[in-house]
Amino acid sequence: GAVVSQHPSWVICKSGTSVKIECRSLDFQATTMFWYRQFPKQSLMLMATSNEGSKATYEQGVEKDKFLINHASLTLSTLTVTSAHPEDSSFYICSARRGGVAFFGQGTRLTVV
Amino acid sequence: AQKVTQAQTEISVVEKEDVTLDCVYETRDTTYYLFWYKQPPSGELVFLIRRNSFDEQNEISGRYSWNFQKSTSSFNFTITASQVVDSAVYFCALSERGNAGNMLTFGGGTRLMVKP
């Protein structure tokens, strides 16, 4: 069964609105979670590392104010895409490690119109 | 800095053929982990295997096998008697022990198309 659950699996939003994506670790605690972005036919690019109880660590080039990350509990991290624009349309996927293996959520396909 | 290269962007085979997906990595760490993931059209990444840098034993799991060679910094993946359901994008990834939280660095992926 799934180890990491991500919701929603797809979302369409209007330009200028914000979208929240949830990532939950199931049956285990994850002090660290990772958020990736994937453009069509490309690899996964790490956006940020989500740390429970502290600020997220963002990769170079990722706007902190644009992609808000909150890791409020040991099983939940959220990514909020603020003031979304069409160029933010992408596939977002989170992961958490259990037993030394990174397990991934189902991914969220975001389309901004 | 760590890097993973999957030179084959797309491979097309006919069902029942064997196919090998190449993966070459770069790292300065002596302790690291290598992974293979499968990404079917649905999008989720499915974990296939993890190998640590001290274990060079090849592994076989059903029709899947992996060949880890530190001398050439390669971790190749072979599917025997491929099936249409094997069609997906396959990613090789590297995790260095020294990385904060052990983040993964992915290769560019290889899109495998198995035709009936």
Side-chain angles (χ1 to χ4, degrees), chain B residues 31-70:
Chain B
T31 301
Y32 52 89
Y33 301 87
L34 295 163
F35 302 80
W36 276 95
Y37 288 88
K38 174 182 180 180
Q39 187 177 40
S42 59
E44 66 179 296
L45 266 74
V46 178
F47 166 74
L48 295 178
I49 190 171
R50 181 186 86 151
R51 171 66 75 228
N52 75 57
S53 52
F54 298 108
D55 182 3
E56 285 193 74
Q57 275 194 330
N58 291 331
E59 181 154 340
I60 298 175
S61 176
R63 296 185 296 107
Y64 295 170
S65 62
W66 290 270
N67 184 351
F68 176 30
Q69 292 195 343
K70 287 181 75 170

Side-chain angles (χ1 to χ4, degrees), chain A residues 6 21 36-37 47 67 79 88 90-93 107-108 110:
Chain A
Q6 188 172 338
I21 302 169
Y36 294 84
R37 183 173 181 174
M47 297 175 65
F67 300 100
L79 168 68
D88 298 324
S90 189
F91 187 68
Y92 295 88
I93 191 165
T108 298
L110 170 64

Side-chain angles (χ1 to χ4, degrees), chain A residues 32 34 36 38 41-44 46 91 93 97 99-106, chain B residues 35 37 39 42-45 47 50 91 95 100-104 106-108 111:
Chain A
T32 303
F34 301 92
Y36 294 84
Q38 185 181 29
K41 296 192 175 183
Q42 292 190 22
S43 187
L44 284 78
L46 180 67
F91 187 68
I93 191 165
R97 294 183 78 100
V101 175
F103 291 95
F104 289 81
Q106 300 91 326
Chain B
F35 302 80
Y37 288 88
Q39 187 177 40
S42 59
E44 66 179 296
L45 266 74
F47 166 74
R50 181 186 86 151
F91 289 99
S95 172
N102 302 121
M103 54 165 271
L104 288 173
F106 285 88
R111 183 176 301 274

Side-chain angles (χ1 to χ4, degrees), chain A residues 15-47:
Chain A
S15 189
T17 61
S18 295
V19 174
K20 180 185 284 187
I21 302 169
E22 294 187 347
C23 180
R24 295 181 184 273
S25 57
L26 305 178
D27 300 324
F28 73 101
Q29 295 179 338
T31 55
T32 303
M33 292 186 180
F34 301 92
W35 288 95
Y36 294 84
R37 183 173 181 174
Q38 185 181 29
F39 290 105
K41 296 192 175 183
Q42 292 190 22
S43 187
L44 284 78
M45 296 301 296
L46 180 67
M47 297 175 65

Side-chain angles (χ1 to χ4, degrees), chain A residues 57-69:
Chain A
T57 303
Y58 290 82
E59 295 301 300
Q60 193 172 8
V62 178
E63 298 176 57
K64 301 178 182 181
D65 297 331
K66 175 75 169 176
F67 300 100
L68 299 180
I69 290 174

